[in-house]
Amino acid sequence: MFILKRVASVGGITMRVPQRTSLPVSYFSACQCLRSSKRRSPYSTVDSERYSSLVKSVMSFRVSSQTPETLLVEDENIYGPIVKSQTPSKRPEMRVPKTLHPFLHCEETPEETTESEESGPPTRILLNRDKDRSFVPSVTRILQQTLSPQQIFYLERWKRKMIAELGEEGFKEYSQNLFRQGKLFHSALEDVLTSGDKNLSSDTPEHPPEVQGYLQSISHVLEDVRAVRAIESAVQHDSLGYRGIVDCVARYRGVLCVIDWKTSEKPKPFLGNTYDNPVQVAAYAGALNNDNNYKYQVESGLIVVAYKDGTPAHAHQLSSELMLQYWNKWLVRFEEFTNKSSSHASSSSSEKT
């Protein structure tokens, strides 16, 4: 604070000169408030180490900003310039089937089942793999031979990375172990569904140790599964001419579904993470609906992804609307396979003549 004081100067001219005086206590209080540190954020007290795993799991599901082009450059620097497939386009074109085949059989209705039928033993029709093998393709074979360029690109990229880490022999052994574990898991699951004993909360010594984690993973899903109608049973679409083996047909939360049990080393919390699995389920359901061995219709599907470490499985339910969408995608893949097979047969006959 400044106070003006009258002072006489030479020549009779007076002027006011500022003079510093003592500052009040309130001034120091105000300054002290202004100079004090900012309030601490409530987030600064969070135990970051405790929640680090949660943050990592959430951040791991972010969509990558990388594209096939940038991934290709990255792979060339790490693994070399060998790429068998062409770089896919960013937006694959949406295709529709040329001929629409009905998903449901016209003579049957989806809910035409009785309690006595659902309470009986589940159906299991064995697939004769040798009979007409070349004339009746499987769902798996059709999907494998009609992969999109983008699917082939990422599949080959994953394979190259695994071979770089494990070597040729190591990757072969890794693939065989995955196949073996999947087969053991389906066998153990078949025993559980057939016996009706779904209590998997404790270790079950009757099952191999390799599948204990998988069974624990799906235990909460099995609680909502009842009225098993079919297990590991062959289905065939009589008019289109393809076949497959359904893992299970049962009611999940009251809805009759074709259920496909999958195993995975990585979390698949979204339906999009399951790639062609929804198309596969729709193909199985369409075949079952048009197979005279089954006297009922199925409109819905379920994909269950089990994890070896016992983490709760992800269950992706496919409504009747979604099943129709994936059924149309299946028809497109089936037409593509048929066209390729016809072209191959024509070229082969031309070479012979």
Side-chain angles (χ1 to χ4, degrees):
M1 181 180 295
F2 296 92
I3 298 177
L4 296 178
K5 182 177 181 182
R6 186 183 301 272
V7 180
S9 62
V10 180
I13 301 175
T14 60
M15 58 182 301
R16 296 180 184 274
V17 180
Q19 183 178 3
R20 188 179 300 273
T21 185
S22 59
L23 296 175
V25 176
S26 60
Y27 178 82
F28 290 100
S29 300
C31 291
Q32 183 66 25
C33 293
L34 291 174
R35 294 175 182 175
S36 61
S37 59
K38 295 182 180 179
R39 283 188 177 183
R40 296 182 64 186
S41 170
Y43 296 102
S44 62
T45 60
V46 174
D47 188 347
S48 59
E49 293 185 0
R50 180 180 179 184
Y51 295 100
S52 60
S53 60
L54 176 61
V55 173
K56 291 179 181 178
S57 64
V58 172
M59 296 297 291
S60 64
F61 293 125
R62 294 188 303 175
V63 177
S64 174
S65 59
Q66 290 185 304
T67 63
E69 289 79 6
T70 59
L71 290 173
L72 184 60
V73 175
E74 178 182 322
D75 286 351
E76 287 181 353
N77 293 331
I78 301 175
Y79 309 111
I82 303 176
V83 177
K84 297 180 181 179
S85 62
Q86 296 180 350
T87 303
S89 57
K90 294 182 180 180
R91 291 185 179 181
E93 58 178 348
M94 298 297 295
R95 296 177 296 174
V96 295
K98 295 179 180 178
T99 305
L100 293 175
H101 295 271
F103 177 63
L104 298 172
H105 198 278
C106 300
E107 299 178 359
E108 304 286 344
T109 57
E111 296 298 331
E112 225 177 70
T113 56
T114 63
E115 291 185 4
S116 60
E117 290 175 332
E118 291 194 340
S119 61
T123 303
R124 181 175 183 181
I125 301 175
L126 299 179
L127 179 64
N128 188 349
R129 299 182 181 275
D130 296 327
K131 183 181 178 181
D132 298 332
R133 185 171 185 176
S134 59
F135 299 98
V136 184
S138 67
V139 173
T140 304
R141 179 184 175 189
I142 293 171
L143 291 177
Q144 287 177 346
Q145 295 191 11
T146 57
L147 293 172
S148 67
Q150 187 175 24
Q151 289 173 313
I152 296 174
F153 176 85
Y154 287 110
L155 183 62
E156 290 183 355
R157 181 177 186 267
W158 169 81
K159 184 177 179 180
R160 290 174 60 212
K161 290 180 67 176
M162 294 300 294
I163 292 176
E165 294 176 5
L166 305 175
E168 291 283 354
E169 291 298 323
F171 177 72
K172 183 179 179 180
E173 183 179 354
Y174 168 81
S175 301
Q176 291 175 346
N177 287 335
L178 284 183
F179 178 78
R180 177 175 174 272
Q181 289 179 11
K183 193 172 181 179
L184 290 174
F185 169 61
H186 279 78
S187 178
L189 185 55
E190 181 181 347
D191 294 339
V192 171
L193 294 173
T194 303
S195 64
D197 184 12
K198 302 176 184 177
N199 185 17
L200 302 175
S201 57
S202 58
D203 291 341
T204 50
E206 64 270 19
H207 300 304
E210 296 95 329
V211 302
Q212 295 287 346
Y214 292 127
L215 293 177
Q216 181 63 31
S217 178
I218 64 171
S219 59
H220 72 287
V221 178
L222 291 177
E223 294 176 357
D224 295 320
V225 175
R226 66 175 184 83
V228 180
R229 304 294 303 275
I231 298 178
E232 296 292 334
S233 190
V235 294
Q236 181 166 325
H237 200 294
D238 295 327
S239 59
L240 288 177
Y242 70 88
R243 63 185 181 180
I245 299 178
V246 295
D247 288 348
C248 179
V249 179
R251 289 194 178 273
Y252 176 72
R253 297 181 177 177
V255 180
L256 191 63
C257 300
V258 168
I259 304 177
D260 205 27
W261 309 97
K262 299 293 185 183
T263 60
S264 176
E265 295 183 335
K266 294 183 179 180
K268 294 186 178 181
F270 307 109
L271 183 63
N273 301 135
T274 61
Y275 305 105
D276 277 342
N277 293 155
V279 181
Q280 184 180 27
V281 171
Y284 287 153
L288 183 148
N289 292 334
N290 289 271
D291 191 328
N292 294 328
N293 292 313
Y294 302 88
K295 304 303 180 183
Y296 53 89
Q297 300 282 278
V298 183
E299 287 187 288
S300 304
L302 180 70
I303 300 172
V304 182
V305 185
Y307 305 110
K308 189 175 182 178
D309 62 357
T311 301
H314 287 106
H316 304 289
Q317 192 165 10
L318 302 173
S319 64
S320 57
E321 292 79 9
L322 273 177
M323 288 287 276
L324 288 176
Q325 294 179 23
Y326 285 110
W327 171 250
N328 287 333
K329 291 184 178 181
W330 162 252
L331 293 178
V332 171
R333 302 282 287 271
F334 182 78
E335 289 178 356
E336 183 180 347
F337 174 81
T338 303
N339 294 335
K340 286 184 177 180
S341 300
S342 300
S343 301
H344 180 71
S346 299
S347 60
S348 298
S349 60
S350 300
E351 291 176 0
K352 292 180 180 180
T353 57

